[in-house]
Amino acid sequence: MKKIALYVFAILFLLAGVSHFVLEPFFTHAMPDWVPFRPVIVYISGIMEIVLAIGLMRKRTRRKAGVLIAIFLVLIFPVNIYMALVPEQYSIPTSALWLRLPLQFVLIWWVLKVRKVV
């Protein structure tokens, strides 16, 4: 069961990374206008998510990748807050934007648990 949880998380994180390339305009728009180089940041974060997901799947790099993913999730949390504060800018229900905030902590807990799978 723990291995399933590990691979489900890794695949979801990998798909999130790929989505940064497929849905780049959405992710760029998710950041405040005052943030410079928004498309570049979107692409770099997508690459980071893909690389970290692969690292999480490999036993040799799993522990470090799990910690780095947790840090990454903390660093992107302000974007989630921004989106919840300006829901009129998105075609996502306001309730979903607010529910994402506690979900971020669940994701952090989840990755810190699965990084220990041997």
Side-chain angles (χ1 to χ4, degrees):
M1 189 64 161
K2 291 179 182 180
K3 279 221 183 218
I4 292 171
L6 165 68
Y7 289 112
V8 167
F9 185 96
I11 289 168
L12 290 174
F13 210 70
L14 179 72
L15 292 174
V18 170
S19 72
H20 281 66
F21 295 91
V22 177
L23 304 170
E24 177 270 321
F26 170 81
F27 287 99
T28 297
H29 183 65
M31 290 184 273
D33 290 337
W34 55 264
V35 174
F37 312 111
R38 291 181 301 155
V40 173
I41 293 169
V42 169
Y43 291 129
I44 290 171
S45 62
I47 291 168
M48 289 175 61
E49 288 181 8
I50 292 167
V51 169
L52 289 171
I54 293 168
L56 192 62
M57 288 189 247
R58 300 184 65 215
K59 188 184 275 191
R60 202 173 87 231
T61 55
R62 185 170 299 146
R63 286 187 178 265
K64 186 179 281 186
V67 170
L68 292 173
I69 290 171
I71 292 168
F72 180 85
L73 291 170
V74 169
L75 292 175
I76 63 166
F77 192 68
V79 174
N80 294 344
I81 293 171
Y82 173 77
M83 290 179 72
L85 293 174
V86 290
E88 65 279 356
Q89 294 186 21
Y90 307 99
S91 57
I92 300 171
T94 302
S95 58
L97 292 171
W98 283 99
L99 286 172
R100 274 179 33 166
L101 299 178
L103 177 62
Q104 198 86 354
F105 296 103
V106 172
L107 293 174
I108 292 167
W109 170 83
W110 185 0
V111 76
L112 292 176
K113 283 294 193 186
V114 298
R115 77 182 182 93
K116 298 175 184 175
V117 172
V118 288

